Amino acid sequence: MSEHPSNEEWLFDYQLLSKLVIGIGEVSDITGLPTRKIRYWEDKGIIQSKKDCEGGTRKYSYLDIKKIILIQELLADGYTLDAAAKKVENRIKNINQTMLGLSKYLDQQD
Amino acid sequence: MSEHPSNEEWLFDYQLLSKLVIGIGEVSDITGLPTRKIRYWEDKGIIQSKKDCEGGTRKYSYLDIKKIILIQELLADGYTLDAAAKKVENRIKNINQTMLGLSKYLDQQD
DNA sequence: ACTTTTATTGTAGATAAGTTACAATATAGG
DNA sequence: CCTATATTGTAACTTATCTACAATAAAAGT
């Protein structure tokens, strides 16, 4: 009973969460964007994937997908790609702050 | 400011989180297990992956990985595979309860 | 000692998924 | 009609993963 971390801690494993990187096909399935478009946005610098090497496969994290979904919404609202990208950056910074704060909070629990 | 969900809500997007399924190669990188061993555990029924079709590629969720890591620890402790699997099942049920409860709690916030 | 069970690994030959790099198309403003 | 912005198509190639065979290793029974 005391040998394990609490259920909450076990559930919100940030270290693990940040390692969860998925392929471009899954991103396409989740977001509804064709892979071609995802690569195009990346070529334009709107989003960034992780690649271990040239010619290797692109990997996307949870926050990358969040970002893509947010950009989609802004585009539907009438923003240009560049404008949407700029707007999203601010929100991402905000999220990172929250994530950091929450992480610290959880660390001092138990 | 009020057009967005709160940072917490944005961060803990369970619906999205549950869609984040990664390939066997990533699972191998994260857990340190060779892919061959992961498939073997699956053949034995210790773990289960999602496959859209026969011959399709295996996909693993966040909780699947958690499970694998937990089994690893139990094996290191001296458990047999079957015993470890059984022990882990209980913990998983517990986690699912927590996840459900937390999900409901977050729904009634804001 | 040897036979079984348990756990793991090797690999060939296949398919699935993803890459780059070319170009083509569409559409809205100026 | 021209230009910038956004998107799409595809061929040829590489990387990732699949199945299905079998082999090995170590511990547990008898």
Side-chain angles (χ1 to χ4, degrees):
Chain A
M1 218 150 206
S2 59
E3 46 184 303
H4 294 302
S6 72
N7 282 342
E8 282 76 9
E9 274 184 280
W10 206 73
L11 201 52
F12 301 125
D13 186 340
Y14 286 98
Q15 240 178 337
L16 177 53
L17 211 62
S18 63
K19 285 190 212 154
L20 275 197
V21 287
I22 71 179
I24 197 169
E26 271 305 320
V27 176
S28 174
D29 286 347
I30 292 173
T31 62
L33 299 180
T35 60
R36 189 64 185 78
K37 191 182 244 179
I38 297 169
R39 292 198 194 94
Y40 165 67
W41 285 10
E42 187 161 336
D43 288 343
K44 279 210 60 177
I46 305 296
I47 51 177
Q48 294 84 33
S49 68
K50 289 95 193 154
K51 279 204 275 189
D52 15 348
C53 58
E54 257 291 311
T57 63
R58 293 170 172 81
K59 298 290 178 185
Y60 300 87
S61 70
Y62 175 79
L63 279 184
D64 290 332
I65 298 161
K66 274 287 186 187
K67 187 171 172 179
I68 289 173
I69 291 173
L70 196 45
I71 290 175
Q72 261 185 308
E73 287 170 11
L74 293 175
L75 286 187
D77 249 33
Y79 284 83
T80 65
L81 252 187
D82 290 330
K86 199 170 282 181
K87 198 171 166 68
V88 160
E89 280 313 313
N90 295 324
R91 182 113 181 104
I92 294 284
K93 271 178 203 147
N94 226 316
I95 294 298
N96 282 336
Q97 284 296 322
T98 300
M99 209 148 173
L100 198 66
L102 197 56
S103 184
K104 274 183 189 159
Y105 169 77
L106 286 177
D107 279 349
Q108 72 189 27
Q109 297 294 101
D110 272 81
Chain B
M1 218 156 205
S2 59
E3 48 183 301
H4 293 303
S6 72
N7 282 343
E8 281 76 9
E9 274 184 278
W10 205 75
L11 200 52
F12 301 126
D13 186 340
Y14 286 100
Q15 240 178 338
L16 177 53
L17 210 63
S18 62
K19 285 190 212 153
L20 272 198
V21 287
I22 73 178
I24 197 170
E26 272 305 320
V27 176
S28 173
D29 286 348
I30 292 173
T31 62
L33 299 180
T35 61
R36 188 66 185 78
K37 191 183 242 178
I38 297 169
R39 291 195 195 96
Y40 166 69
W41 286 10
E42 187 161 337
D43 288 344
K44 279 210 61 177
I46 305 296
I47 50 176
Q48 295 82 34
S49 69
K50 290 94 192 155
K51 279 205 275 190
D52 15 349
C53 58
E54 255 292 309
T57 61
R58 294 170 173 82
K59 298 290 177 184
Y60 301 88
S61 69
Y62 174 80
L63 279 184
D64 291 331
I65 298 161
K66 275 285 186 187
K67 186 171 172 178
I68 290 173
I69 291 172
L70 195 45
I71 290 176
Q72 261 185 309
E73 286 170 12
L74 293 175
L75 286 187
D77 248 34
Y79 285 81
T80 66
L81 251 187
D82 290 330
K86 200 170 280 183
K87 197 170 168 69
V88 160
E89 281 313 313
N90 295 325
R91 182 114 181 105
I92 294 285
K93 273 178 201 145
N94 228 316
I95 294 298
N96 282 336
Q97 285 296 322
T98 301
M99 210 149 174
L100 198 67
L102 197 55
S103 184
K104 275 184 189 159
Y105 168 77
L106 286 177
D107 278 351
Q108 72 189 30
Q109 297 294 100
D110 272 82

